[in-house]
Amino acid sequence: TSILNATGYIQNSKKSKKKSINSNRQIMVITYLMLIFFASMIGYFVKFQVKDSDEVINNNYNKRQEVLSESIVRGSILSSDGQILAQTLVDDSGNETRNYPFGTLFAHSVGFSTHGKTGVELLANYKLLTSNSPITEIAENEFKGEKNIGDNVITSLDVNLTKVAYNALEDNQGAVIAIEPSTGKIITMISKPDFDPNTIDDIYDTLVADSNNSNLLNRATNGLYTPGSTFKVFTLLEYIRENPNYSDYTYDCEGSITNEGITIKCASGRWHGSEDLLSSFANSCNSSFVNLGLTLDKNKLKNLCESLLFNSDLPLSMSYKSSTFVLDSNSSTFETMQTVMGQGKTLITPIHLAMIASAIANDGVLMKPYMVTDVQNYLGTSVKKYTPNTVQTLFSSSEVDTLNTFLRAVVTKGTGTKLNSDLYTAYGKTGTAQINDGSQSNSLFMGYAEQDGKQLAICVVLEDMPEGSTPAVPVAKAIFDEYF
């Protein structure tokens, strides 16, 4: 009996210990889960304060903006050399008017601050409605019931270069965007047709109702265009990747190419004769590129394009449209022939093309494009500086060297010879994209120029140009001439 009792006691004791251990484990699991939960909450609040709060407050639907505007006079927006691009004028009665000294020149890049917000007015809205004036001054104004002066936003925009780009576009519809490759700074951004932001209150409804001209559309970031022969940069790169012996390529151009009953012509039906890959690219030979494009793996071409930011989000803080590429293994021969030379369903924005040019210029590395470089209080004391951010490496060093050889040939002996200059060394690709059933064309140029370590990447688009013309090249030349 004693032995049995002792055995029962031991068994009960073991069960109690097991229950105790299980209970402790449950407590520890709950404790760790709670610690992870609180750590996640703290991490979220830190991330919100450091990264996301500006974006949330900047949202047009956030009512906090209205509260801020009741106590802050909206700050000014300045160019890279300190010229005022936007300011708030206050009369003797305290009435505020947003003023844009350069009128239409920065209509899309700086934007406007009523009827919603656009451009830098939107990007830096919270900064412009925040005052970092001296604390004593803020306290005194609050005591008096007077408004404090909002902080000023410094941009990377160059006034002189923007004037040159604006004038070079003349009265044509289109866009220009220029980026500093090593930093991603946007130096100029033009879109036409435009509007005068000083009169936005009076003309806004009219602009919204006009669907033909789309004056409010920033074509540099939101204009989707058929790339024309600028797309041959992508076709070329895929051909090089699939064919290590690409230097052996030859083609005899007779002005057109026919495959499965489908005929593609070179521009103006021009015969280019015997060509290698370099001259095919420099001459922008449609026939040759259709010939080599038909040999490509369509899925690999799609993968390459998507790795170069098609069908994906762009690393931009501003409003933009995503470029689209739809060719795949199921696409027809006609679609393939159209796509590889830059026609078909492919669509791209000017800023995307400028980013590709910028990455090539920067040894294959893409920097995030940005316009706001510094925030200062109205006395000129810096509050926050924005520094360059690396996005990713798009091209290998060997690919950059090869692409530069081909892009340079366009300028030295191809369709972009007007860019030959003693001031700088230019690289680029021209493009003519047929629209309106081929009766008109959009003229494009993407590329960059450099001299003594200074670089500028650019994309120019002119809409509704005479078929076969390349007016985008002189626009690019005017900008490069001014910059260098």
Side-chain angles (χ1 to χ4, degrees):
T1 304
S2 299
I3 292 171
L4 288 172
N5 289 336
T7 303
Y9 175 78
I10 290 169
Q11 288 175 341
N12 288 333
S13 178
K14 284 181 177 179
K15 286 180 181 177
S16 297
K17 284 182 179 178
K18 234 180 214 183
K19 284 182 181 177
S20 177
I21 290 170
N22 288 338
S23 178
N24 287 339
R25 281 178 181 169
Q26 291 173 352
I27 292 171
M28 291 303 294
V29 168
I30 293 171
T31 301
Y32 284 129
L33 287 174
M34 292 301 292
L35 286 173
I36 292 171
F37 173 75
F38 281 115
S40 299
M41 289 292 291
I42 292 170
Y44 170 78
F45 283 123
V46 171
K47 176 178 176 290
F48 179 83
Q49 290 296 329
V50 173
K51 184 180 178 182
D52 297 339
S53 59
D54 282 9
E55 183 177 341
V56 172
I57 296 170
N58 249 356
N59 191 300
N60 279 335
Y61 297 102
N62 193 323
K63 294 298 182 182
R64 184 174 175 183
Q65 294 178 20
E66 296 178 9
V67 175
L68 290 172
S69 64
E70 291 174 1
S71 59
I72 305 289
V73 175
R74 191 176 186 82
S76 298
I77 299 173
L78 309 176
S79 67
S80 58
D81 64 349
Q83 297 187 60
I84 296 174
L85 308 181
Q87 62 185 338
T88 297
L89 303 178
V90 184
D91 64 20
D92 294 337
S93 301
N95 298 312
E96 298 176 10
T97 303
R98 197 64 172 167
N99 172 254
Y100 302 90
F102 289 95
T104 59
L105 195 61
F106 295 94
H108 292 94
S109 55
V110 171
F112 52 82
S113 62
T114 57
H115 300 281
K117 295 174 179 60
T118 62
V120 178
E121 292 278 31
L122 173 61
L123 284 174
N125 184 49
Y126 177 50
K127 303 299 182 186
L128 294 164
L129 288 173
T130 300
S131 178
N132 282 282
S133 302
I135 300 241
T136 53
E137 183 178 316
I138 291 176
E140 183 179 347
N141 285 335
E142 288 182 354
F143 179 76
K144 293 179 179 178
E146 297 177 355
K147 287 187 173 184
N148 287 295
I149 302 175
D151 292 338
N152 295 333
V153 167
I154 315 302
T155 71
S156 54
L157 297 169
D158 184 298
V159 173
N160 289 335
L161 197 68
T162 303
K163 286 179 179 178
V164 169
Y166 189 90
N167 292 331
L169 272 180
E170 297 179 338
D171 293 328
N172 298 301
Q173 295 189 0
V176 172
I177 184 162
I179 300 172
E180 186 178 76
S182 62
T183 63
K185 290 179 181 177
I186 295 173
I187 308 301
T188 190
M189 182 190 289
I190 292 290
S191 177
K192 286 188 177 184
D194 49 38
F195 56 91
D196 186 347
N198 290 301
T199 62
I200 194 67
D201 289 340
D202 298 324
I203 64 175
Y204 183 77
D205 290 339
T206 302
L207 294 177
V208 170
D210 185 0
S211 58
N212 293 324
N213 293 314
S214 302
N215 297 59
L216 292 174
L217 176 69
N218 185 351
R219 285 162 161 78
T221 58
N222 289 276
L224 284 168
Y225 294 93
T226 301
S229 291
T230 61
F231 186 79
K232 289 172 183 170
V233 172
F234 301 88
T235 305
L236 170 71
L237 183 58
E238 180 57 31
Y239 185 80
I240 289 171
R241 287 184 177 180
E242 291 187 30
N243 299 274
N245 62 337
Y246 65 86
S247 58
D248 296 333
Y249 174 84
T250 58
Y251 180 76
D252 187 20
C253 171
E254 297 180 352
S256 66
I257 184 172
T258 300
N259 187 285
E260 296 184 5
I262 303 162
T263 299
I264 300 292
K265 295 181 179 180
C266 287
S268 303
R270 183 178 306 160
W271 288 45
H272 294 108
S274 179
E275 299 176 300
D276 58 12
L277 189 59
L278 185 66
S279 58
S280 296
F281 186 81
N283 295 327
S284 202
C285 179
N286 289 339
S287 300
S288 181
F289 264 78
V290 168
N291 176 63
L292 65 86
L294 287 170
T295 70
L296 298 178
D297 184 313
K298 286 181 275 192
N299 283 334
K300 287 184 178 179
L301 178 58
K302 184 176 183 180
N303 290 338
L304 175 139
C305 288
E306 290 182 344
S307 73
L308 297 178
L309 308 178
F310 278 93
N311 302 333
S312 63
D313 295 335
L314 297 180
L316 297 171
S317 300
M318 63 199 75
S319 168
Y320 68 90
K321 290 284 180 62
S322 294
S323 301
T324 58
F325 182 85
V326 299
L327 193 74
D328 58 28
S329 59
N330 298 317
S331 300
S332 67
T333 298
F334 174 76
E335 289 175 307
T336 303
M337 294 170 74
Q338 289 282 310
T339 300
V340 296
M341 68 171 188
Q343 292 287 152
K345 298 176 182 177
T346 305
L347 294 172
I348 196 167
T349 57
I351 194 169
H352 185 175
L353 277 172
M355 289 162 67
I356 296 299
S358 179
I360 297 171
N362 195 40
D363 298 323
V365 179
L366 176 65
M367 305 301 290
K368 179 179 179 179
Y370 68 109
M371 280 191 289
V372 176
T373 61
D374 194 11
V375 178
Q376 302 175 353
N377 69 12
Y378 81 96
L379 296 172
T381 303
S382 182
V383 175
K384 181 175 183 178
K385 288 187 180 294
Y386 294 84
T387 55
N389 286 305
T390 300
V391 178
Q392 65 185 98
T393 299
L394 297 182
F395 311 99
S396 68
S397 296
S398 61
E399 287 174 342
V400 168
D401 291 339
T402 303
L403 288 172
N404 277 331
T405 299
F406 281 78
L407 294 170
R408 181 61 183 152
V410 171
V411 175
T412 57
K413 58 182 180 181
T415 56
T417 53
K418 290 179 181 178
L419 285 171
N420 253 331
S421 173
D422 295 330
L423 293 172
Y424 48 82
T425 303
Y427 307 77
K429 184 70 192 77
T430 59
T432 302
Q434 290 185 338
I435 57 173
N436 298 332
D437 300 323
S439 60
Q440 290 178 303
S441 301
N442 290 336
S443 177
L444 300 92
F445 176 82
M446 62 85 72
Y448 74 96
E450 61 184 2
Q451 188 65 29
D452 298 328
K454 189 178 182 180
Q455 294 179 319
L456 188 70
I458 193 172
C459 178
V460 178
V461 179
L462 278 80
E463 300 177 9
D464 304 335
M465 295 290 105
E467 199 272 328
S469 64
T470 56
V473 175
V475 175
K477 176 175 171 52
I479 294 167
F480 286 150
D481 286 351
E482 169 65 22
Y483 190 72
F484 293 99

